[in-house]
């Protein structure tokens, strides 16, 4: 199983990006039954969870700094997790990692390789 992330890049402040994370080789029941999230690592800071989605009911949660700007979503049929990022700010710059936490049902915690987002002012 591999998480394949894409969609990062350079964007001006106020712009938008969509990150994608495809769970290659993961069976559908594991993907749909796992909690999922996007983490961000910025220089000088610890990795933080910016958006998450529970497996139970799909309810999303966001760190305060991205509320009303970022939206986490998924497509179970494609086994893909998304992060729609709008009104980007320079402080959103960082490496974004997707996570599929399958510890409960498969005993594994999966991480994507990270994709760089750079927001210029």
């Amino acid at each position: 199983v591999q998480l394949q992330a894409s969609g990062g890049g350079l964007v001006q402040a106020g712009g938008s990006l969509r990150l994608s994370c495809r769970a290659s080789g993961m069976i559908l029941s594991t993907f749909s039954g796992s909690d999922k999230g996007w983490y961000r690592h910025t220089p000088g800071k610890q990795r933080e969870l910016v958006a998450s989605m529970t497996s139970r009911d799909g309810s999303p949660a966001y760190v305060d700094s991205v509320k009303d700007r970022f939206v986490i979503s998924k497509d179970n049929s494609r086994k893909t997790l998304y992060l729609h990022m709008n009104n980007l700010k320079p402080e959103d710059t960082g490496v974004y990692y997707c996570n599929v936490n399958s510890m409960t049902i498969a005993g594994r915690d999966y991480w994507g390789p990270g994709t760089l987002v750079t927001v210029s002012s």
Side-chain angles (χ1 to χ4, degrees):
V1 174
Q2 285 187 326
L3 298 188
Q4 300 169 338
S6 62
L10 173 64
V11 65
Q12 287 189 328
S16 299
L17 284 174
R18 187 187 74 167
L19 305 184
S20 300
C21 176
R22 189 171 75 89
S24 175
M26 184 178 289
I27 62 174
L28 179 56
S29 59
T30 298
F31 182 80
S32 61
S34 300
D35 294 340
K36 306 168 192 58
W38 288 94
Y39 289 74
R40 175 172 70 194
H41 187 203
T42 55
K45 295 184 180 179
Q46 289 186 331
R47 185 182 296 189
E48 67 173 341
L49 176 63
V50 296
S52 62
M53 175 180 285
T54 67
S55 61
R56 183 168 53 88
D57 58 8
S59 57
Y62 303 93
V63 69
D64 285 347
S65 61
V66 309
K67 277 181 182 176
D68 301 323
R69 299 189 298 120
F70 289 13
V71 177
I72 186 171
S73 67
K74 63 180 173 64
D75 184 337
N76 282 341
S77 65
R78 294 195 164 118
K79 291 176 282 185
T80 300
L81 182 69
Y82 300 99
L83 185 66
H84 308 260
M85 304 185 294
N86 303 304
N87 190 21
L88 282 159
K89 303 177 180 181
E91 52 264 40
D92 295 319
T93 294
V95 179
Y96 286 71
Y97 298 87
C98 58
N99 172 251
V100 176
N101 187 340
S102 305
M103 289 300 295
T104 301
I105 61 173
R108 290 286 307 273
D109 192 21
Y110 298 96
W111 289 89
T115 183
L116 176 62
V117 172
T118 304
V119 184
S120 63
S121 56

